[in-house]
């Protein structure tokens, strides 16, 4: 019922910036409330990075607070993650996701975008 397409990412040195995008294509009956960014570092479990509701309420994992900003365009059904002051620990594959009404990840994921931060 929803198709998520990501763009952005790449290789950047520590202290640099990247901007990720996620665009959702939905059926007419599918309503998107909360969207989220996840990431998975090598050898680690996938973790929740940031969420944003349709009303613009945001939450961040402690490790990215003050450095990352999540926003969205409800008209375009697009979501963005602006990543500043990147650190090597931010390296991983980033995924966008549409949350269920219960605040959990749905089965609808973007294809994943590699972010690599060199020291």
């Amino acid at each position: 019922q929803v198709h998520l397409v990501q763009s952005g990412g790449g290789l950047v040195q520590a202290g640099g910036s990247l901007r990720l995008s996620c665009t959702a294509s939905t059926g007419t009956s599918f309503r998107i409330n909360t969207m989220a960014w996840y990431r998975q570092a090598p050898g680690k479990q996938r973790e929740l990075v940031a969420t944003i509701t349709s009303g613009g309420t945001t939450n961040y994992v402690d490790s990215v607070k003050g450095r990352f900003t999540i926003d969205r365009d409800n008209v375009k059904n697009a979501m963005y993650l602006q990543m500043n002051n990147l650190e090597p620990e931010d390296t991983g594959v980033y995924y966008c996701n549409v949350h269920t009404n219960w605040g959990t990840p749905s089965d609808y994921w973007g294809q994943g975008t590699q972010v690599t931060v060199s020291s």
Side-chain angles (χ1 to χ4, degrees), residues 16 32 58 64 66 80 99 105 108-110 119:
I32 298 176
T58 61
V64 308
Y80 312 95
H99 272 189
Y108 304 112
W109 295 90
S119 60

Side-chain angles (χ1 to χ4, degrees), residues 99-117:
H99 272 189
T100 70
N101 291 332
W102 313 109
T104 60
S106 72
D107 292 332
Y108 304 112
W109 295 90
Q111 78 275 21
T113 302
Q114 178 69 47
V115 171
T116 302
V117 184

